[in-house]
Amino acid sequence: MRNLTWRSLHQGSLAEADKITLEVAKLIKDDFLQQNGYSAYDRYCPFYKTVGMLSNIVAFYDMARHAVETTAQSDNKITWAVIKENMGQIIYQLSSMKFKVSEKLRLTDW
């Protein structure tokens, strides 16, 4: 709880690229690495699903960083807040990929 409070208070002082890194790290920790051995979707995760999930998370990270870095000097900057507001459905789908059972996972399919 203390770490979460510190993060929420000091995240405003981070660079936009660092905010993306922090949020994607949270996504990896909470949604990719956390497992539930009692569920059908998590007990035996096939290798292609693991690779697909991580590939989608890395692709999102790369595209978000690219968008922030290429617009940093323009008048229409893309920030983490803009990405989060406009890509909320994609972020939700990234966090819920693990609940899909035995399907090929590609971000472009959604």
Side-chain angles (χ1 to χ4, degrees):
M1 180 69 174
R2 182 175 175 219
N3 191 22
L4 179 62
T5 304
W6 182 88
R7 240 190 297 169
S8 61
L9 289 175
H10 292 90
Q11 188 172 0
S13 63
L14 292 174
E16 291 302 318
D18 293 336
K19 291 176 187 177
I20 294 168
T21 301
L22 184 65
E23 290 298 321
V24 170
K26 187 175 122 188
L27 182 73
I28 291 170
K29 179 180 77 78
D30 294 343
D31 300 315
F32 179 73
L33 294 176
Q34 190 172 352
Q35 296 176 335
N36 179 358
Y38 295 108
S39 65
Y41 60 83
D42 237 359
R43 185 177 310 144
Y44 302 108
C45 184
F47 185 68
Y48 72 84
K49 181 178 176 183
T50 303
V51 170
M53 289 171 57
L54 196 53
S55 294
N56 288 338
I57 293 169
V58 169
F60 176 79
Y61 173 77
D62 289 341
M63 287 185 254
R65 291 273 310 226
H66 179 73
V68 166
E69 291 169 358
T70 58
T71 62
Q73 303 302 321
S74 74
D75 292 334
N76 296 324
K77 292 181 183 177
I78 296 177
T79 63
W80 170 246
V82 171
I83 293 169
K84 190 173 182 179
E85 180 181 328
N86 291 294
M87 304 295 286
Q89 184 62 28
I90 296 294
I91 295 168
Y92 171 76
Q93 289 172 342
L94 287 170
S95 69
S96 60
M97 286 185 295
K98 73 187 306 178
F99 302 115
K100 295 203 178 276
V101 179
S102 300
E103 292 181 25
K104 298 266 182 180
L105 295 171
R106 291 188 332 200
L107 195 56
T108 55
D109 287 344
W110 294 325

